[in-house]
Amino acid sequence: MAVETRVYLVRHGIAEERSPAQTDETRALTPEGEKKTRKVAERLRSLNLHFDLILTSPLVRAQQTARILQDCELGKQVEIANELAPAGQLERWLDWLLGWQVEQPRANLAIVGHQPNLGDWAEQLVWGTVRGRLVVKKAGVIGITVPEAMNAIGNSELFWLTSPRLLL
């Protein structure tokens, strides 16, 4: 039996501007970012979406976005994954995914992360190479059907690409 996972790559909402007074890791969502992200999450819920797991970057703005998804009842479980930080590597995340797929065949997974990682990862999964063409807007979503992680690069299927504006 082939194992497929529907992966929803979700970019964090609008965050505080970069500042010498704080680290990138601690930048939080702005009030506007929280409001917009909540509206997107509510719209996703109205489409009957549900995630078996919400996996998030350890950065504050991504964790806040993941909690909003959870608060809107899109998924019960949130876990932090260092592989989703801006310096994370797709191959390490795919190793994790392969193990998770054994436990959760045919599951829906949300990963909350950052641009350009999410766009680059989507391109690698679908086309096998980074082309710099897919951009995930803040609070935007890309949906990809990922076969067994060991065969995912260049063999995944894009099924959803939307900006948050279309979900509001």
Side-chain angles (χ1 to χ4, degrees), residues 71-82:
D71 290 346
C72 290
E73 299 180 355
L74 287 166
K76 292 181 181 177
Q77 187 177 357
V78 173
E79 291 182 13
I80 295 171
N82 291 330

Side-chain angles (χ1 to χ4, degrees), residues 20-90:
Q22 73 180 137
T23 64
D24 187 47
E25 291 78 12
T26 61
R27 289 175 42 224
L29 295 179
T30 65
E32 178 188 0
E34 288 181 25
K35 181 179 176 183
K36 188 175 187 180
T37 302
R38 186 164 303 280
K39 283 185 176 182
V40 167
E42 288 169 353
R43 177 68 176 129
L44 294 174
R45 183 69 186 137
S46 76
L47 296 170
N48 294 317
L49 219 56
H50 179 79
F51 305 122
D52 298 290
L53 176 64
I54 301 168
L55 199 61
T56 181
S57 158
L59 278 63
V60 169
R61 59 194 179 272
Q63 288 187 54
Q64 289 174 313
T65 299
R67 295 290 176 210
I68 290 170
L69 298 177
Q70 184 182 40
D71 290 346
C72 290
E73 299 180 355
L74 287 166
K76 292 181 181 177
Q77 187 177 357
V78 173
E79 291 182 13
I80 295 171
N82 291 330
E83 294 85 5
L84 300 179
Q89 297 186 3
L90 175 61

Side-chain angles (χ1 to χ4, degrees), residues 97-113:
L97 180 63
L98 187 59
W100 191 73
Q101 284 177 318
V102 170
E103 301 295 322
Q104 299 285 332
R106 300 197 183 281
N108 288 333
L109 171 67
I111 63 171
V112 181

Side-chain angles (χ1 to χ4, degrees), residues 3-37:
V3 175
E4 287 186 344
T5 303
R6 291 192 114 185
V7 178
Y8 295 82
L9 295 88
V10 181
R11 185 172 177 193
H12 63 77
I14 300 166
E16 298 169 329
E17 293 294 324
R18 294 180 187 270
S19 160
Q22 73 180 137
T23 64
D24 187 47
E25 291 78 12
T26 61
R27 289 175 42 224
L29 295 179
T30 65
E32 178 188 0
E34 288 181 25
K35 181 179 176 183
K36 188 175 187 180
T37 302

Side-chain angles (χ1 to χ4, degrees), residues 111-148:
I111 63 171
V112 181
H114 311 273
Q115 186 64 22
N117 291 42
L118 295 178
D120 291 351
W121 287 18
E123 290 180 357
Q124 285 180 278
L125 289 167
V126 173
W127 298 314
T129 185
V130 174
R131 298 179 180 178
R133 301 287 191 259
L134 291 179
V135 176
V136 186
K137 299 283 187 183
K138 291 178 181 167
V141 181
I142 292 180
I144 297 178
T145 302
V146 179
E148 288 185 70

